[in-house]
Amino acid sequence: MPYLRSLSVKVIQREGMQHPRLLQALPETSFRLRSLTVSYPDPNDSIFSCIGDDLVSLSLCDSPRHYFQSRYSSESLLAIFPTLTSSECLTILKRVSAPRLSTRELVYEADAAEDELLQYLPRAFPLLEEFELHRYPASPDDSVPHLHVTRMLTTIKYLRALYLNLDITEDIYESWKVPRNRKAHDRLITSRNARGRELVRILQTGEHFEYLALPVHALYAGMWTLYHPAWRPGSSIWAEHDSPHAV
């Protein structure tokens, strides 16, 4: 397929399966892909060495979404919920030449290479504008360094939109457990908005930054709540709860 420009492969993993590999060996010529999406890819897949410099969108994602494991069992979906580690993501990205990349998604479990990975992004992809990050701790007991991660992302010069799932598991952030009590529900919204504003205050130092999106999980679907920076002196950060951006 010499004229292939967009490739998306999302494979649900079963117990005992290996990373899906798209290419077993290097082809005779490089591809000229503009968009590539692969769920739980093999870090040694040959495709990452021959994508071509035309790539503008890259997603190293999960399928099904890793956060579904707290809602569904592996028996009900007949699936497991694996993710790459930040070390594996770094290995892949160091093999990718994509100087025009503007949109990317990363899903990983944090390990010792996380800081190196986040520092590598602005160097390797200087035109990155839209970034979706799903970051999971190695252990449920690990704290989530949400301020540290956010500060590291401010080095992405042209960052315009950040979709950020940091898997925060405080009681008020329990996934899909939407409180039936109105007061508890209001506390959840107030707390989420406080965190969104806290992160936007860090991100709005970027010249091109437009909004932060935090995930909101409902019973059957999910949405992103958008948090916009203060555009004018004296104005305040504001939240857009009814955004059209579905998860």
Side-chain angles (χ1 to χ4, degrees):
M1 294 182 284
Y3 299 106
L4 183 66
R5 296 293 176 264
S6 180
L7 176 62
S8 178
V9 182
K10 294 184 178 181
V11 181
I12 290 181
Q13 298 294 296
R14 299 287 296 274
E15 194 71 45
M17 288 179 65
Q18 302 297 316
H19 291 273
R21 182 173 290 196
L22 303 186
L23 292 181
Q24 296 297 330
L26 288 172
E28 295 181 0
T29 59
S30 293
F31 293 101
R32 295 184 59 188
L33 288 172
R34 290 182 56 81
S35 175
L36 175 64
T37 297
V38 192
S39 64
Y40 194 53
D42 185 338
N44 297 314
D45 197 320
S46 298
I47 195 168
F48 296 115
S49 298
C50 56
I51 291 174
D53 290 348
D54 293 336
L55 196 71
V56 296
S57 177
L58 174 63
S59 174
L60 307 179
C61 62
D62 47 357
S63 182
R65 285 297 189 188
H66 185 71
Y67 52 67
F68 281 167
Q69 68 179 341
S70 62
R71 184 192 298 200
Y72 304 109
S73 67
S74 58
E75 290 76 17
S76 63
L77 278 186
L78 297 178
I80 56 177
F81 304 86
T83 63
L84 296 173
T85 64
S86 45
S87 296
E88 290 174 318
C89 286
L90 184 61
T91 297
I92 292 173
L93 296 183
K94 285 186 173 180
R95 298 173 55 212
V96 172
S97 174
R100 300 185 182 92
L101 194 75
S102 61
T103 302
R104 72 147 309 115
E105 177 185 5
L106 276 183
V107 180
Y108 64 76
E109 179 183 286
D111 63 13
E114 181 178 30
D115 280 8
E116 184 181 356
L117 169 64
L118 298 180
Q119 290 167 356
Y120 183 74
L121 291 175
R123 299 200 305 269
F125 313 109
L127 302 182
L128 189 61
E129 296 181 10
E130 185 173 309
F131 186 27
E132 181 172 335
L133 174 61
H134 298 260
R135 182 233 189 241
Y136 296 95
S139 167
D141 297 326
D142 289 351
S143 61
V144 180
H146 59 284
L147 296 179
H148 174 69
V149 170
T150 304
R151 289 189 182 103
M152 295 201 73
L153 296 178
T154 60
T155 60
I156 302 175
K157 182 177 180 180
Y158 294 104
L159 184 64
R160 179 182 57 81
L162 176 61
Y163 294 80
L164 192 59
N165 171 25
L166 294 179
D167 194 39
I168 296 173
T169 55
E170 291 100 334
D171 291 341
I172 54 169
Y173 287 98
E174 284 290 332
S175 299
W176 9 98
K177 294 181 181 178
V178 181
R180 296 182 182 276
N181 180 282
R182 181 55 185 260
K183 289 184 178 179
H185 184 261
D186 289 345
R187 286 198 302 271
L188 184 148
I189 293 176
T190 299
S191 183
R192 184 191 299 123
N193 287 347
R195 187 175 299 277
R197 293 185 174 96
E198 179 183 37
L199 299 183
V200 167
R201 279 191 286 270
I202 296 172
L203 293 163
Q204 68 183 7
T205 58
E207 180 181 355
H208 303 275
F209 178 71
E210 292 183 10
Y211 63 85
L212 164 73
L214 298 181
V216 179
H217 300 292
L219 184 58
Y220 297 111
M223 297 290 288
W224 294 98
T225 292
L226 306 191
Y227 295 88
H228 300 267
W231 295 111
R232 303 179 307 277
S235 62
S236 59
I237 297 167
W238 57 285
E240 182 182 350
H241 294 286
D242 297 321
S243 76
H245 301 270
V247 175

